[in-house]
C-alpha cells in the first residue's frame, strides 16, 4: 500500500466522523443504549454476551469534557464507525480496487441508512 492510500482512508474517516457528529443523538435513545452507557460508565458488563471490549474502549470517551455521558457514548460509536470506514477503504485497496472504487465503497458503507443509524447512537455494532 502507498502512503496516499492511508491519507485517503483518513480523509474518508474524517468526512464520515464529521457527518456523524453533526447528526449524533444528543442523549439516551431506545433499545439497549441506556444499559450500554451505564455498563461502560461504571466499567461493568452489559447483558449477556456482555460486550466487554466495547465497554472498555468506550470508557475513555467519558473523559472528554463535552456534553453529557450519553452524548459521549454516542460519540464513541461515531468514532468507531469512522475507523470502520477507513478499514473498508484500506481493505478494498488491498483487494485490488482502484482508489476511486475503494473510496466509493467506504462512503457507501458510511452513508448507508443502517450503518449511519448505528453510528449516531450507543451501539456496539460499529466496533
Amino acid at each position: 500500500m502507498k502512503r496516499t492510500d492511508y491519507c485517503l482512508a483518513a480523509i474518508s474517516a474524517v468526512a464520515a466522523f464529521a457527518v456523524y457528529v453533526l447528526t449524533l443523538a444528543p442523549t439516551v435513545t431506545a433499545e439497549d443504549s441506556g444499559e450500554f452507557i451505564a455498563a461502560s460508565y461504571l466499567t461493568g458488563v452489559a447483558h449477556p454476551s456482555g460486550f466487554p471490549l466495547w465497554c472498555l474502549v468506550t470508557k475513555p470517551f467519558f473523559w472528554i469534557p463535552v456534553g453529557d455521558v450519553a452524548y459521549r457514548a454516542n460519540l464513541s460509536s461515531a468514532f468507531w464507525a469512522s475507523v470502520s470506514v477507513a478499514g473498508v477503504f484500506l481493505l478494498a485497496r488491498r483487494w485490488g480496487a482502484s482508489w476511486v472504487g475503494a473510496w466509493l465503497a467506504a462512503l457507501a458503507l458510511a452513508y448507508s441508512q443502517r450503518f449511519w443509524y448505528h453510528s449516531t447512537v450507543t451501539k456496539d455494532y460499529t466496533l
Side-chain angles (χ1 to χ4, degrees), residues 56-111:
L56 288 174
V57 300
T58 300
K59 183 70 173 181
F61 285 89
F62 296 122
W63 303 332
I64 300 171
V66 168
D68 63 0
V69 172
Y71 181 83
R72 296 174 200 169
N74 294 339
L75 193 63
S76 89
S77 291
F79 174 78
W80 292 115
S82 63
V83 170
S84 297
V85 168
V88 166
F89 178 88
L90 294 173
L91 187 64
R93 287 293 289 153
R94 170 89 43 170
W95 286 349
S98 68
W99 71 269
V100 174
W103 189 66
L104 289 174
L107 293 183
L109 171 70
Y111 301 124

Side-chain angles (χ1 to χ4, degrees), residues 3-119:
R3 175 173 276 164
T4 56
D5 291 336
Y6 293 107
C7 290
L8 289 171
I11 290 169
S12 300
V14 168
F17 185 71
V19 172
Y20 295 153
V21 168
L22 290 174
T23 59
L24 203 61
T27 189
V28 179
T29 58
E31 299 165 2
D32 295 333
S33 70
E35 181 182 2
F36 282 128
I37 292 166
S40 181
Y41 186 74
L42 299 172
T43 318
V45 177
H47 63 277
S49 65
F51 310 104
L53 177 63
W54 185 89
C55 290
L56 288 174
V57 300
T58 300
K59 183 70 173 181
F61 285 89
F62 296 122
W63 303 332
I64 300 171
V66 168
D68 63 0
V69 172
Y71 181 83
R72 296 174 200 169
N74 294 339
L75 193 63
S76 89
S77 291
F79 174 78
W80 292 115
S82 63
V83 170
S84 297
V85 168
V88 166
F89 178 88
L90 294 173
L91 187 64
R93 287 293 289 153
R94 170 89 43 170
W95 286 349
S98 68
W99 71 269
V100 174
W103 189 66
L104 289 174
L107 293 183
L109 171 70
Y111 301 124
S112 65
Q113 180 184 10
R114 181 60 51 188
F115 192 78
W116 190 336
Y117 168 72
H118 289 299
S119 302

